[in-house]
Amino acid sequence: MWNRLFDMEINRNNYEAYLLDLVEGKLSAEELRKVREFLVFNPDCGELLNDTEPWLLKTEAVSFRGKELLKKHLPETNEMITDRNFDLFSIARLEGDLTPEQESAHETMVAENDLRQEEWTAWQNTRLPVGPVLYPGKQGLLRRKKGNSRILWLSLVSAAAVIALLFFIFKPVPDLPLPALTDLPAPGPAVESAVIDGKGPSHMKGIVPLKLVERDPGNNGSVMFAARKHTRSPAETSLSAGNHHPVQHTGLAGEVKRNDYTLKQVRITELLKQPVIGINTIEPDRIRPLEVPPSAIHYTSLSIAQIASMNLPEVIDEVAEEKNISLWSVASAGIKGINKVTGADISLLAYRDDDGGLSGIRLKSKRFSVNTPVTHKE
Amino acid sequence: MTVEEYNKAVEAYADNLYRFVVKNLKDEHMSGDIIQDTFEKLWVKLEDVSASKVRSYLFAAAYHTMIDYIRKEKRYAGLDHTIEQEQAHDMQYSDLGELLDRAVQNLPEDQKAVVMLRDYEGYSYREISDITGLSESQVKVYIYRARVYLKYYIGSVEQVI
């Protein structure tokens, strides 16, 4: 077939391959025409066709003489006992495979012949005696309660991680009212606004656009501004000023002299890796405190049934608030736990919109990647 | 299956399982390990195995562990085993049980296991098929072949004695 794959012309160097295909009937009509044309001009090459028999193996009729011996023969229900099948019937009787009629016939044959009686006894002796054998380590196999702590721990960690993830994914991130703004005097007309950096998909990698709106030009050239953005971890936000002076502000509103800064970009750094330059005290992703008194329950002392009956999202909420940890920390801890125990390589990433708000979550590993959008409730 | 049912299974079947394995292997230490391994498997799958099926589950698990072990051991001990079989007829036997025990050891592993399940545990062809993974007709044929071998082995030795 190689000659046709390369669409080669038939010649004296490759004609055998064409002839082989001809014998096997694999040539197309066009190829057949070419071969015949070739043979007209090269009749000596066609001599091979007169000797095609050795090229092809003929099907031969070969039978295995011992075939009958291979067949299994077991007593049929309508078969009757004879001298020839006595042994077969003896085994069948031993195994309880005979019909009542067949068993009766076997019994009669045994009773009538001493030799058959001996034979039958010999067959009965092939049955293994059921003697008492005691297993010495039996007590060691008994269990008091199911205590496979590793599996239990793995289950709990996995469950906690999944719950934390679900809670994290589906909990709406509130569009915060920027509480510090409420303390400001009534805003005048915005004199300047800017969207800084972060256009396009690069913001997914950590550069987050910040919309800065000047609220109230101060008397001495200072500007009150509000940063309209919602990040999951505002404490990780740094705001670079033109002269590398940090922009000082309180909350999401601040005061800064206009000439002192040129905003370049706002970068969301990795969790706690860089010192906070611009301090933003609003933490929109912190879990809101529950309106219940702190619980004195020690969770490690609870039974599985008790844990199952609890409202786990609330528990996580409560513990997270008490320990002052964010949902990111809870989710990351769960993911780390799963990775550590199972050797997986799962990581949790966040998508952010132009305002820095959380727009989606990506759960990924080498084998899979799941993107989940997050909708913000007004 | 509950912990209580598991413990009942230990009480009810540990000895039978041990007999089945130790008669096959003739190695008490290894047999003990297989029994522990078998019940460990049951413990792990406790919620998946119903109390009514636990006996079959245990015998199936023990059978497959045992077969794996035998196949592994045969790679190293094949020659010794053959010599042992050839010497069997020269040994002296005090009673039929001992003779039968020796005869059973000469059976191929599959035949040995099915005939033991049949005689020791009284399993049906169908149940043995479920335990071993062999077809029902295969089980039947193995049992018939085993009986023929045992009968003629005992007969030939008795004639020598």
Side-chain angles (χ1 to χ4, degrees):
Chain A
M1 299 299 283
W2 59 273
N3 50 340
R4 280 184 283 166
L5 284 175
F6 293 97
D7 197 24
M8 292 173 66
E9 287 299 319
I10 181 169
N11 56 47
R12 294 188 73 83
N13 293 326
N14 64 10
Y15 73 96
E16 291 96 336
Y18 277 88
L19 295 187
L20 184 60
D21 283 352
L22 173 68
V23 170
E24 293 179 350
K26 293 178 180 174
L27 292 179
S28 67
E30 175 61 17
E31 288 167 336
L32 193 59
R33 187 192 62 75
K34 285 183 180 177
V35 170
R36 281 177 179 162
E37 193 175 289
F38 172 79
L39 290 177
V40 168
F41 294 102
N42 302 276
D44 58 308
C45 297
E47 289 174 5
L48 279 173
L49 291 174
N50 300 326
D51 193 24
T52 53
E53 279 198 15
W55 297 24
L56 304 172
L57 298 179
K58 283 188 174 177
T59 309
E60 293 180 54
V62 179
S63 60
F64 177 55
R65 292 179 183 174
K67 193 163 61 180
E68 286 303 314
L69 295 174
L70 294 177
K71 291 180 179 175
K72 309 290 187 298
H73 183 69
L74 300 174
E76 300 294 336
T77 50
N78 56 355
E79 191 177 348
M80 287 313 292
I81 188 168
T82 64
D83 285 338
R84 291 186 64 185
N85 63 16
F86 175 78
D87 284 347
L88 200 62
F89 268 67
S90 296
I91 301 173
R93 185 179 171 190
L94 208 59
E95 300 301 328
D97 292 342
L98 295 181
T99 62
E101 294 76 20
Q102 288 172 326
E103 191 168 337
S104 175
H106 183 271
E107 201 172 339
T108 307
M109 184 179 271
V110 168
E112 288 172 351
N113 188 319
D114 289 345
L115 192 60
R116 295 291 183 207
Q117 179 65 56
E118 283 180 21
E119 286 286 303
W120 172 233
T121 305
W123 282 116
Q124 287 178 306
N125 286 339
T126 65
R127 182 165 274 167
L128 306 182
V130 184
V133 176
L134 300 177
Y135 174 52
K138 193 160 67 176
Q139 288 305 313
L141 295 174
L142 298 173
R143 309 260 182 164
R144 295 291 170 250
K145 63 177 180 178
K146 190 161 186 176
N148 198 331
S149 57
R150 187 175 177 276
I151 292 175
L152 180 62
W153 181 74
L154 177 63
S155 305
L156 288 177
V157 167
S158 303
V162 169
I163 289 166
L165 275 175
L166 291 175
F167 185 60
F168 177 78
I169 290 169
F170 294 109
K171 181 180 179 181
V173 178
D175 193 7
L176 291 178
L178 304 179
L181 282 176
T182 58
D183 299 332
L184 295 173
V191 295
E192 187 180 343
S193 68
V195 177
I196 304 150
D197 203 359
K199 291 290 185 187
S202 65
H203 74 280
M204 306 294 282
K205 298 172 184 172
I207 298 175
V208 178
L210 174 73
K211 178 173 283 186
L212 191 73
V213 181
E214 288 187 354
R215 288 294 190 190
D216 187 16
N219 296 329
N220 54 359
S222 65
V223 177
M224 298 295 292
F225 71 91
R228 287 182 55 200
K229 75 180 186 63
H230 310 113
T231 67
R232 295 299 305 174
S233 300
E236 302 154 25
T237 304
S238 66
L239 199 59
S240 300
N243 297 326
H244 303 289
H245 297 304
V247 175
Q248 299 294 333
H249 60 104
T250 304
L252 282 179
E255 181 175 354
V256 65
K257 289 186 178 178
R258 183 195 298 269
N259 297 331
D260 281 349
Y261 73 94
T262 306
L263 289 173
K264 288 182 176 176
Q265 65 179 207
V266 172
R267 180 181 294 277
I268 299 297
T269 59
E270 289 182 30
L271 183 65
L272 300 178
K273 279 189 178 173
Q274 294 186 10
V276 177
I277 301 173
I279 300 171
N280 191 335
T281 56
I282 294 299
E283 299 176 350
D285 66 329
R286 296 293 179 189
I287 300 169
R288 289 168 298 174
L290 295 174
E291 294 177 356
V292 291
S295 171
I297 297 173
H298 296 285
Y299 296 106
T300 52
S301 65
L302 295 176
S303 70
I304 296 175
Q306 285 172 307
I307 292 174
S309 65
M310 294 168 72
N311 186 340
L312 284 178
E314 277 190 11
V315 171
I316 292 173
D317 216 340
E318 182 181 350
V319 173
E321 177 66 22
E322 194 177 316
K323 302 289 184 186
N324 193 28
I325 54 176
S326 70
L327 277 171
W328 273 114
S329 305
V330 176
S332 297
I335 294 295
K336 280 181 185 172
I338 289 176
N339 287 344
K340 192 168 184 178
V341 173
T342 64
D345 58 338
I346 305 169
S347 55
L348 185 65
L349 307 171
Y351 291 120
R352 299 189 183 280
D353 56 26
D354 289 347
D355 290 330
L358 187 72
S359 61
I361 290 173
R362 185 181 186 198
L363 192 65
K364 70 178 277 287
S365 78
K366 283 180 184 173
R367 295 186 177 178
F368 71 90
S369 175
V370 180
N371 295 320
T372 307
V374 173
T375 9
H376 295 255
K377 286 185 180 174
E378 294 298 332
Chain B
M1 196 174 171
T2 63
V3 176
E4 191 182 354
E5 286 169 333
Y6 167 87
N7 285 334
K8 279 183 182 173
V10 171
E11 292 289 352
Y13 305 126
D15 291 335
N16 294 35
L17 267 182
Y18 181 66
R19 177 177 59 195
F20 171 61
V21 178
V22 80
K23 289 278 185 183
N24 266 283
L25 294 184
K26 290 291 177 187
D27 180 340
E28 291 181 8
H29 180 71
M30 189 59 210
S31 302
D33 285 352
I34 289 177
I35 300 306
Q36 285 189 13
D37 187 51
T38 302
F39 276 96
E40 189 60 36
K41 284 177 183 168
L42 173 64
W43 182 249
V44 171
K45 298 226 169 192
L46 201 59
E47 290 169 5
D48 302 331
V49 181
S50 68
S52 61
K53 301 275 183 186
V54 67
R55 187 174 173 228
S56 295
Y57 177 86
L58 287 170
F59 274 94
Y63 170 79
H64 290 294
T65 311
M66 185 179 74
I67 290 294
D68 286 346
Y69 171 75
I70 290 169
R71 286 174 183 160
K72 197 172 154 190
E73 285 296 299
K74 267 191 175 175
R75 291 180 209 155
Y76 307 105
L79 184 60
D80 295 342
H81 188 65
T82 308
I83 294 170
E84 196 180 339
Q85 283 189 14
E86 288 170 354
Q87 292 172 341
H89 280 64
D90 300 332
M91 298 176 72
Q92 297 297 313
Y93 301 99
S94 57
D95 60 18
L96 181 64
E98 198 179 331
L99 178 60
L100 190 59
D101 198 40
R102 170 60 62 177
V104 168
Q105 293 312 311
N106 289 338
L107 288 172
E109 299 307 330
D110 285 336
Q111 292 184 27
K112 195 196 303 184
V114 295
V115 86
M116 283 184 180
L117 288 170
R118 181 75 169 171
D119 285 357
Y120 289 154
E121 304 304 323
Y123 275 124
S124 68
Y125 297 133
R126 178 82 220 158
E127 288 168 325
I128 295 172
S129 165
D130 290 340
I131 289 170
T132 59
L134 301 167
S135 72
E136 209 170 325
S137 58
Q138 236 176 337
V139 169
K140 200 169 181 178
V141 168
Y142 280 171
I143 288 175
Y144 272 59
R145 285 181 185 172
R147 297 273 182 234
V148 171
Y149 177 81
L150 295 176
K151 193 231 177 195
Y152 286 102
Y153 184 94
I154 294 167
S156 62
V157 173
E158 280 179 340
Q159 284 176 7
V160 171
I161 294 171

